[in-house]
Amino acid sequence: MDLSARPWGCRHLALGTLIAYLGLSLGAGVALGSVRVPFGAAVRALLQGPEGVAPEVYAIVVELRVPRVLLAAAVGGALASSGATYQALFRNELADPYVIGVSAGAALGAVAALSAGAGGPTVPVTAFLGALATVAVAFRIARRGGGIRMEDLLLAGLALSALLTAATSLLLLSSGTPQQALTWLLGGFGGRGWLHLGHVLPFLILGYVLVQARWRELNLLLLSEEEARALGVDVTRARRWLVGGATLMSAASASVAGLIGFVGLLVPHLVRRLMGPDHRFVLPGSALAGAALLVDADLVARTAASPTEIPVGVITAFLGVPFFLWLLRRGIDG
């Protein structure tokens, strides 16, 4: 495993480029939409408040678009970071919160809480418990003879994802809200605001900190378990913390945005090609690239068929499914 596959200068230049691109994406997400707001007016609304612009411009920019764009960025960064973590932990490039069933378990937990009348921080917590239970069941199914076959884990995750998505649909439809069911299953940020961002952001930050703090262990876990232990890694403890952090990010994301797939599959691959395999750079690079990707996807969802809004999960599926099939085909062909 060559962790110095890219020079330091190139890695920092790549991170700087991703930061700049994310800034452009955020600006476009705030200024563009079904109602176009001049960039100068958007800046005045942010800096001067309701006194600097017309009331309708302030409402569009500050109350609607800014929280939605920031939430899309936070969720995109979290999904991409969790995907990078799962791929390293499982040593499988097909691992992804959506593919292995984590997102479906989180969505079921969140919908169960909402159906019971819960709200606020309770929803991300129940989403995390649902996601964690899904991971535990998938591991249990894939365990054979004291070991875990990654292929079996992937298949178990796909099967559990289908089952849990069906259960989520049934729960939502039984509550008499078919439109809400469709929104959850296809994913998106319609109707999301500052309250939703405030509820999930602490969970997303905590999950990312737990993962980023263990980038060295994540690098060593790319080796075999025996080699990682020989280099001083407590493999069981490291896996628990890393799975917990990645699951917390993907669960909190699903609790507020529904099922948005393939961000955690696509982005880490592109970032590793750009920066090499060192997770000191892969994790922040994935967070930045994932944030920009989902902000752009949400912008396309809002504007491509305006005034109709396309679910964000549809946009990411069109991007991610061909890439997933290409990876699968490459693996089959050896």
Side-chain angles (χ1 to χ4, degrees), residues 109-199:
V111 169
L114 291 170
S115 299
T122 303
V123 178
V125 171
T126 55
F128 174 70
L129 294 176
L132 202 59
T134 304
V135 171
V137 173
F139 266 88
R140 182 71 175 175
I141 293 172
R143 185 177 297 278
R144 293 184 183 180
I148 295 177
R149 286 171 49 88
M150 292 299 109
E151 296 84 357
D152 292 343
L153 182 63
L154 197 64
L155 292 173
L158 287 169
L160 287 171
S161 180
L163 176 63
L164 295 173
T165 300
T168 302
S169 304
L170 183 62
L171 188 60
L172 284 169
L173 290 171
S174 66
S175 66
T177 54
Q179 183 59 45
Q180 186 184 17
L182 186 62
T183 300
W184 269 99
L185 294 177
L186 297 180
F189 301 98
R192 302 296 185 258
W194 289 110
L195 186 63
H196 300 89
L197 180 63
H199 285 162

Side-chain angles (χ1 to χ4, degrees), residues 82-91 95-97 100 102 135 243 246-247 250:
S82 61
T85 304
Y86 285 131
Q87 288 172 14
L89 277 174
F90 300 152
R91 295 192 294 277
D96 164 81
I100 65 175
V102 174
V135 171
V243 168
T247 302
S250 55

Side-chain angles (χ1 to χ4, degrees), residues 28-326:
V30 171
L32 302 178
S34 56
V35 176
R36 189 179 297 272
V37 176
F39 184 74
V43 172
R44 288 196 303 273
L46 292 172
L47 297 181
Q48 300 177 16
E51 294 80 13
V53 292
E56 60 271 16
V57 172
Y58 179 82
I60 291 172
V61 172
V62 177
E63 297 177 9
L64 297 178
R65 289 188 186 168
V66 171
R68 176 168 177 156
V69 166
L70 292 178
L71 184 60
V75 169
L79 290 175
S81 301
S82 61
T85 304
Y86 285 131
Q87 288 172 14
L89 277 174
F90 300 152
R91 295 192 294 277
N92 190 313
E93 59 187 8
L94 296 178
D96 164 81
Y98 186 83
V99 172
I100 65 175
V102 174
S103 295
L108 180 59
V111 169
L114 291 170
S115 299
T122 303
V123 178
V125 171
T126 55
F128 174 70
L129 294 176
L132 202 59
T134 304
V135 171
V137 173
F139 266 88
R140 182 71 175 175
I141 293 172
R143 185 177 297 278
R144 293 184 183 180
I148 295 177
R149 286 171 49 88
M150 292 299 109
E151 296 84 357
D152 292 343
L153 182 63
L154 197 64
L155 292 173
L158 287 169
L160 287 171
S161 180
L163 176 63
L164 295 173
T165 300
T168 302
S169 304
L170 183 62
L171 188 60
L172 284 169
L173 290 171
S174 66
S175 66
T177 54
Q179 183 59 45
Q180 186 184 17
L182 186 62
T183 300
W184 269 99
L185 294 177
L186 297 180
F189 301 98
R192 302 296 185 258
W194 289 110
L195 186 63
H196 300 89
L197 180 63
H199 285 162
V200 301
L201 193 58
F203 296 95
L204 298 179
I205 292 174
L206 176 60
Y208 181 81
V209 169
L210 289 174
V211 169
Q212 183 66 53
R214 294 183 174 272
W215 63 266
R216 290 182 179 85
E217 288 98 326
L218 202 55
N219 283 343
L220 294 175
L221 286 171
L222 291 173
L223 307 168
S224 67
E225 290 188 15
E226 293 75 15
E227 291 175 296
R229 287 194 178 94
L231 292 170
V233 177
D234 185 338
V235 173
T236 301
R237 186 168 182 267
R239 274 185 170 172
R240 285 174 180 169
W241 280 105
L242 288 164
V243 168
T247 302
L248 182 59
M249 284 189 286
S250 55
S253 299
S255 74
V256 73
L259 299 180
I260 297 178
F262 302 104
V263 175
L265 176 73
L266 177 63
V267 171
H269 282 276
L270 301 179
V271 170
R272 282 195 294 269
R273 285 185 174 272
L274 190 64
M275 299 183 180
D278 189 347
H279 285 87
R280 175 174 34 174
F281 298 96
V282 170
L283 289 171
S286 295
L288 292 169
L293 174 64
L294 209 52
V295 170
D296 291 344
D298 183 54
L299 179 59
V300 171
R302 288 188 282 124
T303 58
S306 180
T308 302
E309 184 171 315
I310 302 171
V312 176
V314 172
I315 306 296
T316 60
F318 273 116
L319 293 173
V321 170
F323 187 73
F324 177 83
L325 295 174
W326 175 77

